[in-house]
Amino acid sequence: MRILIAGAGATGGAFGTRLVEAGRDVTFLVRPERAEALRASGLRFIGPDEDRTNPVAVTTAEELAANPIPEDLVLIAVKAGGLDQVIDDIRPAIGPDTLIIPFLNGMAHIDRLDREFPGQVLGGLVKIIGTMRGYDVVQMTDMATMTIGRLGGGEVPSGIVEALDVPGFRLQVIDAIDDALWEKWVFIAAAGVVTCLFRAPVGAIMAAGGEPHVVAIVDELEAVAMGAGHPISARSRAVTLSMLTAEGSSFTSSLYRDVTAGLPNETEHILGSLAATAAGLGVATPLLDLTLVQLRAGEIDRAG
């Protein structure tokens, strides 16, 4: 099975490394400068107790357009800001039987991709803590899971499951992928609202008496999921509250880290899209809306 991975960052690089090492036919779609580096030096992967470099196949959007070959599976592992470009870039690789699995946060990308490639999009999410050090892919903990499923229910083709079931991460194939995507969206959004609204790590927020406000944020966002027909499970709620109310915790959301560093961020994709969904459902989200005003005002101030 031919697999194209759009992106060789922390997510695409980590999961792609495992697929390459399992002998899968993998090509990374990357920008020209990244392609040059990968061709020259390979893809370096650093794990908790690992450090190795693998030669990998790479292509660029220009090369793909000049030599279009349909792939069997396309994995999209970029941040939301790169989605529009990726859609254009992967188009020459999409044949009538190609399946696409995006690993982005939120839900808006699902609708967008399904409009572009009707019936060819599966649901997918990953859990991994990783980062980039220059061009090196760093996995910071042993946690690495990939969850996939047919949107709306139904079986995932056995060839896809076989191709993705490799050592190094745990593959889960579930029927209720829509619910799982909503649960991750609510968690990511709650973490973003909590740490961006209070501008601090979880431990400091708890020390300042923030616990009841954190619970209120979680309740508010879970109400949106309920209104959309995807109620959050008791187990997922417990995990979210445990992480966002842990005393002494240094946890911050990736959104908070990007915002405070002045980097491009997923404010609109994660929080703006959720607020728009809530408004369409008639669900009040005052704490989410307040956070969005703060974040948008900061962006306007920086740009001004």
Side-chain angles (χ1 to χ4, degrees):
M1 175 169 288
R2 294 173 51 86
I3 302 172
L4 181 71
I5 301 179
T11 297
F15 287 95
T17 290
R18 303 300 191 181
L19 292 168
V20 168
E21 291 178 343
R24 302 302 189 255
D25 183 358
V26 173
T27 300
F28 291 90
L29 172 61
V30 293
R31 293 175 180 172
E33 62 273 17
R34 180 76 160 122
E36 183 179 351
L38 287 171
R39 284 168 175 150
S41 304
L43 177 59
R44 185 181 181 191
F45 172 78
I46 303 170
D49 300 304
E50 308 168 271
D51 187 344
R52 57 189 179 274
T53 301
N54 291 294
V56 294
V58 300
T59 190
T60 65
E62 293 78 8
E63 292 166 348
L64 194 59
N67 184 32
I69 300 175
E71 302 284 344
D72 298 302
L73 176 63
V74 175
L75 305 179
I76 299 180
V78 300
K79 288 198 172 184
L83 181 62
D84 287 345
Q85 186 61 56
V86 160
I87 287 173
D88 289 337
D89 291 347
I90 67 172
R91 204 176 297 278
I94 307 299
D97 298 319
T98 304
L99 291 177
I100 304 165
I101 307 179
F103 297 122
L104 285 74
N105 296 318
M107 293 291 289
H109 64 282
I110 297 286
D111 294 335
R112 175 72 196 284
L113 284 164
D114 197 50
R115 287 195 301 270
E116 296 286 343
F117 310 106
Q120 296 181 261
V121 182
L122 302 180
L125 61 91
V126 294
K127 293 181 180 179
I128 190 169
I129 299 176
T131 189
M132 296 292 294
R133 293 179 189 162
Y135 280 148
D136 297 339
V137 175
V138 181
Q139 181 179 326
M140 302 170 73
T141 72
D142 290 329
M143 180 183 69
T145 65
M146 177 186 294
T147 304
I148 63 173
R150 178 77 71 176
L151 294 165
E155 290 189 6
V156 175
S158 59
I160 299 293
V161 177
E162 181 180 349
L164 297 178
D165 190 8
V166 301
F169 64 85
R170 183 163 63 97
L171 178 69
Q172 303 176 102
V173 183
I174 63 175
D175 290 331
I177 190 67
D178 306 74
D179 292 341
L181 289 167
W182 265 94
E183 287 192 341
K184 185 175 183 183
W185 191 10
V186 167
F187 169 75
I188 294 290
V193 171
V194 167
T195 54
C196 291
L197 182 60
F198 298 118
R199 292 281 169 158
V202 163
I205 296 168
M206 291 302 100
E211 182 170 355
H213 304 293
V214 172
V215 174
I217 289 167
V218 173
D219 288 344
E220 180 178 293
L221 301 187
E222 287 188 353
V224 183
M226 176 70 78
H230 299 281
I232 303 302
S233 68
R235 179 181 177 278
S236 181
R237 175 181 173 83
V239 169
T240 297
L241 288 175
S242 174
M243 290 192 66
L244 299 184
T245 61
E247 294 184 4
S249 172
S250 61
F251 175 80
T252 59
S253 66
S254 60
L255 179 59
Y256 170 84
R257 295 192 296 272
D258 287 343
V259 167
T260 54
L263 298 173
N265 58 73
E266 295 185 313
T267 294
E268 296 303 329
H269 185 73
I270 297 173
L271 302 187
S273 178
L274 189 59
T277 300
L281 294 168
V283 178
T285 54
L287 295 169
L288 170 60
D289 296 343
L290 182 64
T291 306
L292 275 168
V293 170
Q294 185 209 92
L295 292 172
R296 287 167 174 166
E299 290 292 327
I300 293 169
D301 185 53
R302 280 190 290 273

